[in-house]
Amino acid sequence: MAKKINIDHSKNEDEMKLSVSAMKRKLEKVMLGGGEKKLEKQRAKGKMTARERVTYLIDDDSEFMEIGAFAAYDMYQEVGGAASAGVVTGLGHISGRLCVVVANDASVKAGAWFPMTAKKNLRAQEIAIENRLPIVYLVDSAGVFLPMQNEVFADKEHFGRTFRNNAVMSSMGIPQIAAIMGSCVAGGAYLPIMSDEALIVEGTGSIFLAGPYLVKAAIGEDVDKETLGGAHTQTAISGDVDYKCKDDKECLDTIKDLISKTGERDKAGFDRIKSIKPEYAEEKIYQLFPADRAKPYDTRELLKTLIDKDSWTEYKEEYGQTILCGYARIDGWSVGIVVNNRQVVKTAKKEMQFGGVIYSDSADKAARFIMNCNQKKIPLVFLHDVSGFMVGSRSEHGGIIKDGAKMVSAVSNSTVPKISIVLGNSYGAGNYAMCGKAYDPRFIYSWPSGRIAVMGGKQAAKVLMQIQVASMKARGEEPTEKEQNEILERISAKYEAETSPYYAAARLWTDGIIDPGKTRFTISRAIEAANHGVVEKFNVGVIQT
């Protein structure tokens, strides 16, 4: 039985709105790419900016769901930064068809590829592959950022993997359309030509393995860019490119036309009925989610802001209560929800369980529920606010490792789409069990309140401080209380920065940070994307028996 909770709705709402407002201000700056001057320079050349291209390409009634907007956030500061890793990626409808869009932002270091650019491009291709979605590349890039070539070129998850994925997607029948709307140099030239169809814009688009300067250095030939690889050369002479367009708009209109003539494929068949609004307006999330992350809250009430009204069917309601499992609908889609319950509960054995902690019974329940969803082809939604698995002698004697392994195994082997939203804490093995990035969620987003780390900040800082103090004592030093407090503050500040949702989003541990009020839209769009894919047979492993 759950304890009654006193909630300060006004304080919660104020705190969450401030966090969302701060996030949107950061996002506005990110969306400027290399800055207003660089964007104006693009327009002066007769080109649309990357985000203008995406907006024009996407249907007017389709909202673009961006992926990796905060990629590379606060990284590469020694070279001036790389907003959104110099590439805009996401999901949107083109001529009524849901597509992945990848658009190089030439205002950011001429669209050069940083290490995070490669990772973000590969993430976009991964989404296209997993969900069998058409992918459109709007190419405008100078190629690899040479000062960091050792971190971009040779490894499995580097630049070259992009072209390998081109070939794999082609063999899978996933449509790929590439538009050469600016520079397309060296190895990068393979991407559009390995796509199914390629377009080029006259005057601004060019594609070649080596530019004029390199040609001169290598073989002594003097040749200008247009003659070497401009629109006329690559459409009329080499035949490498299929369509020549007079400007950006004609190019994007041609893509819309090509997509409109693409045949439909079989869907996965996830169940969807007419959408019903939630019992509470989504904005009520701001009031229900606590500003103080140590405070409990009513998780079932929170669900009423996300799921279609009266659609909740709870699984094993009185068992394993620190995780809630149940069937529901989100925007009409049938889903299985696994959410950490932050309430303190009293079990049938009259034992108190701490909210947000996974106990043996909770792990066992969740594992069985995940298997059931796979049996019934129901997508899974994981809502994270977890401190980890329960520790201590009682838990160890009760087999917490084995029960935790069952849940982790069920998540690992699950073949239905998994969508993860990090609401609050996502710590330690709890992150794994709740389908963190390492467990292949189709999509994973965070609220501004999300925190991903091996353990909570206070606990981690104290552990690290104790280790550092012990090391000092071993050297014969005796730190004063003031020195110990300074060490603790320094470690806490570093740990706090590294558990920030922006730190995670910058490294693509999540696909981005969303306004909690957009959670329902995000989940619905994710399932729509997943419905274009296939669901493999679910096999129960030994650990789960």
Side-chain angles (χ1 to χ4, degrees):
M1 190 165 190
K3 282 189 169 184
K4 187 174 166 97
I5 301 171
N6 294 316
I7 301 174
D8 188 338
H9 287 145
S10 296
K11 183 180 179 182
N12 292 345
E13 184 172 15
D14 289 346
E15 185 71 24
M16 184 61 83
K17 284 187 173 179
L18 283 170
S19 296
V20 170
S21 179
M23 182 266 289
K24 288 181 177 178
R25 285 196 302 273
K26 288 181 172 71
L27 194 57
E28 285 172 6
K29 188 175 179 181
V30 161
M31 287 183 170
L32 290 175
E36 282 288 3
K37 287 185 179 179
K38 293 286 181 68
L39 294 176
E40 283 304 320
K41 194 174 178 181
Q42 294 291 110
R43 297 183 185 110
K45 294 177 182 178
K47 297 164 68 172
M48 301 167 76
T49 68
R51 292 186 181 278
E52 287 169 350
R53 288 167 177 168
V54 172
T55 300
Y56 186 85
L57 183 63
I58 298 301
D59 295 346
D60 292 339
D61 60 352
S62 174
E63 185 174 342
F64 186 61
M65 186 171 105
E66 190 156 353
I67 295 157
F70 283 106
Y73 183 78
D74 229 10
M75 297 173 70
Y76 313 127
Q77 293 305 304
E78 66 278 9
V79 293
S84 283
V87 61
V88 180
T89 60
L91 293 174
H93 295 90
I94 303 172
S95 299
R97 311 293 174 84
L98 189 62
C99 300
V100 177
V101 180
V102 178
N104 296 118
D105 186 349
S107 75
V108 180
K109 296 289 186 295
W113 286 52
F114 289 79
M116 285 308 303
T117 315
K119 188 172 183 178
K120 186 171 175 180
N121 275 269
L122 293 175
R123 174 62 180 142
Q125 289 184 320
E126 178 184 47
I127 289 168
I129 291 169
E130 286 184 331
N131 301 292
R132 306 296 197 270
L133 291 173
I135 184 167
V136 176
Y137 307 99
L138 307 180
V139 184
D140 194 348
S141 171
V144 169
F145 185 63
L146 290 177
M148 303 185 78
Q149 66 83 28
N150 63 317
E151 299 178 55
V152 184
F153 175 68
D155 210 345
K156 181 180 177 181
E157 301 302 325
H158 284 178
F159 188 62
R161 185 79 172 182
T162 310
F163 319 130
R164 174 264 185 193
N165 286 350
N166 286 141
V168 168
M169 282 189 278
S170 182
S171 71
M172 294 172 69
I174 297 171
Q176 299 176 81
I177 297 174
I180 302 156
M181 308 183 81
S183 296
C184 189
V185 187
Y190 287 108
L191 185 146
I193 306 308
M194 291 186 73
S195 297
D196 299 310
E197 294 180 286
L199 307 86
I200 190 167
V201 178
E202 289 184 271
T204 55
S206 60
I207 176 170
F208 31 65
L209 290 181
Y213 294 118
L214 183 54
V215 168
K216 174 69 175 175
I219 64 173
E221 180 185 359
D222 285 308
V223 61
D224 64 82
K225 190 168 74 170
E226 279 298 309
T227 303
L228 186 63
H232 175 73
T233 296
Q234 298 295 16
T235 56
I237 300 174
S238 73
D240 284 348
V241 179
D242 307 304
Y243 307 94
K244 182 170 68 174
C245 307
K246 65 180 181 182
D247 56 25
D248 280 11
K249 285 190 176 182
E250 184 179 284
C251 181
L252 297 169
D253 285 334
T254 305
I255 293 173
K256 293 178 187 182
D257 180 64
L258 294 172
I259 294 288
S260 74
K261 293 181 171 70
T262 302
E264 287 280 4
R265 298 184 182 275
D266 292 339
K267 301 280 175 57
F270 302 129
D271 186 66
R272 191 182 196 186
I273 61 174
K274 185 178 179 181
S275 177
I276 299 172
K277 287 185 177 181
E279 184 173 339
Y280 299 153
E282 278 192 273
E283 291 73 20
K284 194 175 176 69
I285 290 176
Y286 303 149
Q287 299 175 5
L288 296 173
F289 197 76
D292 183 347
R293 298 301 308 114
K295 285 190 175 180
Y297 56 90
D298 192 326
T299 309
R300 291 180 180 87
E301 286 289 288
L302 191 74
L303 288 175
K304 291 177 182 178
T305 66
L306 298 176
I307 64 175
D308 293 11
K309 186 179 179 181
D310 298 329
S311 67
W312 178 246
T313 304
E314 189 158 345
Y315 176 79
K316 294 184 184 288
E317 183 177 351
E318 296 183 4
Y319 179 71
Q321 293 182 61
T322 61
I323 287 183
L324 305 184
C325 301
Y327 304 104
R329 290 191 182 274
I330 293 179
D331 196 23
W333 293 105
S334 171
V335 297
I337 295 177
V338 180
V339 56
N340 304 110
N341 185 10
R342 291 289 299 188
Q343 291 177 280
V344 177
V345 296
K346 185 179 284 188
T347 70
K349 298 177 182 178
K350 297 186 178 175
E351 298 169 346
M352 297 304 292
Q353 291 189 347
F354 300 102
V357 179
I358 302 176
Y359 290 77
S360 284
D361 52 0
S362 302
D364 176 68
K365 177 175 81 170
R368 292 173 182 273
F369 179 72
I370 290 164
M371 288 189 279
N372 284 348
C373 287
N374 275 271
Q375 290 286 82
K376 297 192 280 188
K377 202 160 80 170
I378 297 174
L380 283 156
V381 175
F382 293 84
L383 304 175
H384 299 220
D385 197 354
V386 58
S387 303
F389 283 87
M390 189 59 190
V391 297
S393 59
R394 177 178 290 182
S395 292
E396 297 294 354
H397 296 168
I400 186 67
I401 297 175
K402 178 74 172 178
D403 289 320
K406 287 180 185 177
M407 184 176 175
V408 170
S409 182
V411 172
S412 303
N413 290 311
S414 177
T415 57
V416 295
K418 298 168 290 190
I419 294 101
S420 280
I421 308 291
V422 182
L423 314 184
N425 303 332
S426 189
Y427 294 154
N431 171 270
Y432 301 161
M434 291 296 291
C435 195
K437 182 67 173 179
Y439 289 79
D440 297 325
R442 291 290 180 95
F443 298 90
I444 176 169
Y445 283 87
S446 172
W447 287 2
S449 49
R451 295 288 183 274
I452 299 173
V454 73
M455 66 175 71
K458 288 182 180 179
Q459 300 95 313
K462 286 179 181 177
V463 169
L464 291 168
M465 189 267 289
Q466 289 167 10
I467 292 170
Q468 194 165 329
V469 168
S471 178
M472 292 171 72
K473 288 181 177 179
R475 297 194 300 267
E477 301 173 30
E478 282 294 334
T480 65
E481 185 177 341
K482 182 183 177 183
E483 288 173 329
Q484 291 186 42
N485 287 334
E486 287 173 352
I487 292 170
L488 183 61
E489 285 176 15
R490 188 168 61 249
I491 294 171
S492 296
K494 181 176 183 294
Y495 204 86
E496 180 65 21
E498 292 176 356
T499 59
S500 157
Y502 298 99
Y503 191 92
R507 289 152 182 81
L508 290 179
W509 300 348
T510 64
D511 290 318
I513 306 168
I514 59 170
D515 180 341
K518 299 291 290 184
T519 305
R520 186 173 153 88
F521 162 79
T522 302
I523 294 170
S524 177
R525 176 62 64 83
I527 298 173
E528 181 190 355
N531 197 39
H532 288 75
V534 297
V535 178
E536 304 293 339
K537 183 181 177 183
F538 177 70
N539 293 310
V540 178
V542 174
I543 295 173
Q544 291 154 260
T545 57

